[in-house]
Amino acid sequence: MDGVNVSRILTQLKENLEKNNKYDDFVSSFKKCQTNAERVATLYNLEEAKQLFVVEENFKSKCKREAEKLRAIGNECFKSGDYPGAVSWYTQSIIKAPDDSENLSLAYNNRSTANFYMKNYAQCLQDVELAFIHNYPTKSCYKLYQRIGRCMYYLCNKQEAIKAFQQTISALEKADLTEENRLSMIADMNKAIEQSSKINLPPVNLSIKTHNCCHQGIPNFSSETNKEIPCLSDSVEVKLDSYGGRGLFARKNIEIGEVLIVETPFATHLLKEFNLSHCQYCCNRVSLAIPCKYCSGVVFCSLECRNAAWLKFHWAECHILDSVQDKNLSLLAMRMILTAGHDELIKIDEKVNSQEDLRTSGFDEEGIYNSEDYRSAYSLVNHADSRTWTDLLNRTITALYYLRYLEFAGFFSEKITNTKKLNYSSLAFIEPEAETVTENVLNNKTCVGGHILRNLMMLPCNAHEISEFALNLETPAMSGTTELAAGAYPVLSLINHSCDPSVVRESYGNICVGRAIRSIQAGEELKDNYGALYPTMDLETRQRTLKSQYFFDCSCEACLGDWPLYFEIPCDRPILRCKVCDGYVPIPQGNLTELAQCVTCGQSQDITRILLPMAEMEAAYKEALTSVIDGNNSQSNIKILLDYLKLIEKHIHRPWRDINDCQEAFKQCLNMHGSCYPVTKV
């Protein structure tokens, strides 16, 4: 729900209350509320508000006729040899086709054939499977088996090829062919079986899922897994920081590039413009779209993702998505509710949970802080105490808006919930029965509304971007990241901010990987960046931005030292670290490096042995840097970058231009390993 609608409802609410001389009493009552559930209840029970929340179905429906037209266009593209164009049109037909229509199975078959001609065998095989699932005409099934056999033959999978050609012969018994054509086909299949038996190469290791992932394998921890926090390396632990809040701290020395976090979010929200290009569940770019059975507004990369999304949230969103999806974090707040489930939500008592031990807040009974557990997300800060009553009222209006949609979707009706969630094959949108609004029912609803409100306050401070790296093939230096979605990551949210962070994040679909971007000493706190980096944003802007969204004044080293913007960062004469006190050692005039003196402790020292290795590595570093900027993220280049970064970081005080350049080049390498999509223009 966007700000315009909130403002409209608030204006109308005020007019309604003033007309009945109730506005001042309402404001007084609202200000006295101590919990989020009380705030929602105050608005929920208000007669003047009941007609302000219009709830109705709003979604992109299926259309048999349109699906057939789209498939016909695809057929014309196929006949002309435009196979990529054909795939695109067939995909649009698949998205629009009703799930029980013959057109759907035919479109899957057509898309499979086009991909076969493009030698995309994994994609071809996936669509063959989907054509079977959607009852492809029995008389034509021999074509599907034959195509499987040919794919398997080209993939050097001897046994599967022979099996498929044998199945083709069996399927010919039900084919609508003349006897002459049937016998000719059998002869061809026997020849294919004979050819397949001669395959002596190992089969291509092919994963059907691979073509829907634009990233390499998700990295593993170099050390063991943290026993308290499963998605965290054992090199890291959660502790209270110097301000009394939680943070993540190094349990031991951490090297640059070390994987520290591999976290799957509790819930995600894909931005509307990516609904038909990326999987609504895992956020991977979709090569072969699989649509929802009942709407044409979202797609998935696999049947597994489609089923998982349905069970967690899409069952309630399917026919209302166009009303509830916006550019804010509101839908994510509701998805957290749907993912958690009614029973889990009403177990949580706001007043009791507010008294938990801070360090272990959100941990379960076994002492585990789990990203898949709603209680972990619930424990994150929301700054309710720092918000004005008008801010709280605006968010309460949004919370009630989504609560009404949950009522409309049947979230509070066990009968509707079970029917929708468990019977995906024959969904019926059941009208909610007239309910008896008992005090218990009302309390449950306002409790759930309170959770929505809490999430609406928590997410602006804790949600993380899910992105994709758009790799410009013509000019790699002009590549950049594109924000696809937002996710609730309970563990990532424990990392506090610095304008000069020690941790960098990259997306692998919706899985977020956090690595050390510089060396972190044992006992040192890990620091992320909340969108305010010192080389790209001046001090005043950073402080204002962080204060308005995150409610704190940043006191990181870059802010305290008022470090310069990128083009003003020193790059000629570094300030070295003192070997005695870690103070500041400038290079003496005349480059008399054996007579360098620390301006902090006054100790004289010879820095020649420090500068020589850096000079020796500089040429290789600059060559690797240029190569990476040009798009080469080879392991040899990464090693050179990291070795140089470790050396200069050890001996040179930040800010220093080479440190920034080296970090950015390393980040580009990581982005190319994560979700990365090649484009000709960005």
Side-chain angles (χ1 to χ4, degrees):
M1 187 181 189
D2 59 33
V4 173
N5 285 323
V6 171
S7 179
R8 176 183 55 78
I9 291 174
L10 183 59
T11 299
Q12 189 61 56
L13 174 63
K14 185 176 180 181
E15 288 179 5
N16 292 350
L17 289 168
E18 287 178 338
K19 190 182 299 181
N20 297 325
N21 296 316
K22 291 183 179 180
Y23 180 70
D24 291 339
D25 289 341
F26 166 74
V27 171
S28 178
S29 297
F30 188 83
K31 287 181 176 179
K32 290 177 182 177
C33 293
Q34 297 298 307
T35 67
N36 293 317
E38 289 174 5
R39 294 182 181 105
V40 172
T42 300
L43 197 58
Y44 187 95
N45 294 323
L46 205 60
E47 193 65 36
E48 288 81 358
K50 290 184 178 178
Q51 303 304 316
L52 301 180
F53 298 88
V54 179
V55 178
E56 57 187 2
E57 287 188 355
N58 187 8
F59 69 107
K60 294 176 176 62
S61 61
K62 301 288 187 179
C63 179
K64 179 181 177 182
R65 182 177 300 176
E66 187 174 349
E68 289 172 349
K69 288 181 180 179
L70 292 166
R71 189 167 70 86
I73 298 173
N75 288 340
E76 292 303 315
C77 288
F78 183 84
K79 290 175 186 176
S80 68
D82 179 11
Y83 303 127
V87 167
S88 176
W89 287 107
Y90 291 144
T91 296
Q92 293 179 60
S93 176
I94 287 166
I95 291 171
K96 269 294 179 183
D99 193 65
D100 58 356
S101 68
E102 184 180 56
N103 184 83
L104 184 57
S105 66
L106 296 177
Y108 277 128
N109 169 66
N110 293 148
R111 193 169 71 176
S112 168
T113 305
N115 271 304
F116 179 80
Y117 273 75
M118 291 191 291
K119 300 182 181 180
N120 296 331
Y121 300 126
Q123 291 92 320
C124 175
L125 290 169
Q126 174 178 297
D127 276 346
V128 167
E129 178 187 355
L130 290 165
F132 275 125
I133 289 172
H134 289 88
N135 301 314
Y136 190 71
T138 304
K139 64 182 180 181
S140 299
C141 280
Y142 72 93
K143 297 178 183 178
L144 299 182
Y145 287 120
Q146 181 190 28
R147 200 173 306 129
I148 293 173
R150 294 171 74 184
C151 284
M152 292 302 179
Y153 176 81
Y154 290 124
L155 294 170
C156 300
N157 195 323
K158 179 195 296 186
Q159 299 305 320
E160 290 299 322
I162 292 172
K163 177 183 174 182
F165 290 134
Q166 290 172 338
Q167 288 173 315
T168 306
I169 294 173
S170 298
L172 284 169
E173 295 178 5
K174 298 180 180 179
D176 187 12
L177 295 172
T178 64
E179 184 64 14
E180 181 182 356
N181 287 340
R182 190 177 71 85
L183 291 174
S184 175
M185 188 75 172
I186 290 173
D188 288 343
M189 291 304 96
N190 283 325
K191 288 180 182 178
I193 290 170
E194 183 180 352
Q195 280 184 307
S196 299
S197 65
K198 296 176 182 178
I199 295 173
N200 56 13
L201 295 172
V204 176
N205 185 14
L206 192 67
S207 168
I208 295 296
K209 182 83 175 175
T210 301
H211 58 268
N212 275 324
C213 291
C214 352
H215 60 72
Q216 300 182 20
I218 297 168
N220 297 314
F221 298 130
S222 55
S223 61
E224 295 182 2
T225 301
N226 188 293
K227 291 181 174 58
E228 284 189 326
I229 306 177
C231 69
L232 197 62
S233 162
D234 194 47
S235 299
V236 183
E237 61 183 335
V238 59
K239 292 168 54 177
L240 297 182
D241 62 21
S242 58
Y243 299 98
R246 287 191 292 186
L248 295 183
F249 290 78
R251 196 193 299 271
K252 58 185 181 182
N253 291 346
I254 294 171
E255 291 287 335
I256 299 172
E258 189 173 332
V259 176
L260 304 176
I261 301 171
V262 181
E263 184 173 16
T264 301
F266 179 77
T268 62
H269 162 215
L270 197 67
L271 299 181
K272 185 181 292 187
E273 55 266 38
F274 302 107
N275 277 352
L276 298 181
S277 61
H278 290 73
C279 179
Q280 194 70 204
Y281 186 73
C282 72
C283 301
N284 275 300
R285 180 174 286 271
V286 173
S287 171
L288 291 184
I290 299 177
C292 169
K293 287 187 176 184
Y294 304 103
C295 76
S296 58
V298 299
V299 297
F300 303 93
C301 68
S302 65
L303 294 175
E304 292 79 8
C305 278
R306 185 173 77 172
N307 292 337
W310 185 261
L311 286 171
K312 285 191 174 183
F313 55 83
H314 195 59
W315 68 268
E317 292 176 5
C318 184
H319 277 205
I320 62 173
L321 187 60
D322 283 359
S323 289
V324 297
Q325 190 174 23
D326 57 27
K327 292 186 177 181
N328 299 320
L329 295 166
S330 308
L331 180 58
L332 180 54
M334 188 171 85
R335 280 197 182 166
M336 291 178 67
I337 299 304
L338 292 166
T339 301
H342 175 272
D343 293 345
E344 180 66 24
L345 296 169
I346 61 175
K347 289 178 186 175
I348 299 176
D349 186 317
E350 282 190 70
K351 294 180 179 178
V352 172
N353 277 269
S354 66
Q355 299 168 3
E356 288 183 344
D357 173 65
L358 180 57
R359 194 195 81 84
T360 57
S361 178
F363 284 57
D364 64 18
E365 292 80 2
E366 284 74 41
I368 303 297
Y369 187 85
N370 193 333
S371 299
E372 297 178 7
D373 189 336
Y374 177 73
R375 286 173 292 183
S376 296
Y378 182 86
S379 71
L380 300 174
V381 296
N382 60 82
H383 299 291
D385 294 340
S386 301
R387 300 181 186 276
T388 64
W389 75 269
T390 51
D391 178 277
L392 290 170
L393 179 56
N394 285 338
R395 294 177 191 276
T396 304
I397 288 173
T398 303
L400 184 53
Y401 176 85
Y402 283 94
L403 181 60
R404 292 298 189 194
Y405 270 104
L406 288 177
E407 290 177 327
F408 180 75
F411 181 78
F412 298 96
S413 168
E414 186 174 340
K415 175 184 175 183
I416 296 177
T417 302
N418 289 339
T419 300
K420 289 183 177 181
K421 291 178 72 172
L422 302 180
N423 195 19
Y424 189 25
S425 59
S426 58
L427 174 67
F429 275 83
I430 308 165
E431 288 293 331
E433 299 174 353
E435 61 181 2
T436 304
V437 184
T438 64
E439 184 177 353
N440 186 54
V441 170
L442 181 59
N443 287 341
N444 284 349
K445 289 185 176 182
T446 55
C447 171
V448 170
H451 282 281
I452 301 174
L453 176 54
R454 182 185 182 92
N455 292 339
L456 289 170
M457 292 188 284
M458 177 275 292
L459 287 170
C461 310
N462 292 283
H464 286 76
E465 173 186 302
I466 297 169
S467 61
E468 181 179 78
F469 189 63
L471 177 61
N472 188 321
L473 295 176
E474 295 177 354
T475 313
M478 299 302 293
S479 303
T481 55
T482 301
E483 181 181 1
L484 304 174
Y489 294 88
V491 176
L492 280 172
S493 296
L494 296 178
I495 310 180
N496 291 311
H497 166 84
S498 171
C499 300
D500 178 39
S502 57
V503 174
V504 65
R505 294 173 272 115
E506 70 264 12
S507 300
Y508 289 73
N510 68 349
I511 296 174
C512 188
V513 174
R515 302 177 194 249
I517 193 65
R518 53 186 174 86
S519 300
I520 306 171
Q521 302 304 306
E524 183 182 347
E525 185 175 4
L526 277 60
K527 291 297 181 74
D528 194 2
N529 180 264
Y530 295 179
L533 286 165
Y534 84 85
T536 60
M537 188 182 293
D538 65 69
L539 175 61
E540 183 181 348
T541 305
R542 295 201 309 271
Q543 292 287 350
R544 184 173 62 252
T545 301
L546 294 168
K547 185 72 171 180
S548 63
Q549 183 171 353
Y550 300 101
F551 300 93
F552 71 87
D553 297 308
C554 185
S555 58
C556 71
E557 188 178 2
C559 284
L560 293 177
D562 193 8
W563 288 2
L565 295 172
Y566 176 78
F567 288 106
E568 298 170 356
I569 294 174
C571 59
D572 294 330
R573 297 177 71 83
I575 303 297
L576 302 187
R577 294 180 179 277
C578 176
K579 292 181 287 186
V580 178
C581 72
D582 199 40
Y584 297 85
V585 182
I587 297 175
Q589 293 297 321
N591 295 327
L592 301 175
T593 55
E594 69 278 7
L595 301 176
Q597 188 175 38
C598 175
V599 298
T600 307
C601 68
Q603 181 74 35
S604 294
Q605 49 206 279
D606 185 352
I607 58 174
T608 307
R609 293 183 180 180
I610 297 174
L611 294 175
L612 283 176
M614 287 192 284
E616 290 170 359
M617 289 187 66
E618 189 173 8
Y621 153 67
K622 287 184 176 179
E623 184 177 343
L625 180 67
T626 301
S627 183
V628 167
I629 291 172
D630 289 339
N632 183 348
N633 65 334
S634 66
Q635 287 301 315
S636 60
N637 279 340
I638 292 175
K639 184 178 186 305
I640 292 170
L641 289 177
L642 291 184
D643 287 346
Y644 185 70
L645 184 55
K646 290 173 186 177
L647 179 65
I648 61 175
E649 183 192 67
K650 180 179 178 181
H651 295 295
I652 297 177
H653 277 288
R654 302 189 310 279
W656 177 246
R657 182 84 63 83
D658 276 357
I659 292 177
N660 296 82
D661 290 344
C662 213
Q663 285 181 334
E664 291 304 312
F666 179 50
K667 284 196 272 187
Q668 177 165 309
C669 293
L670 297 179
N671 284 331
M672 292 171 69
H673 285 166
S675 292
C676 177
Y677 185 67
V679 295
T680 54
K681 293 181 180 179
V682 178

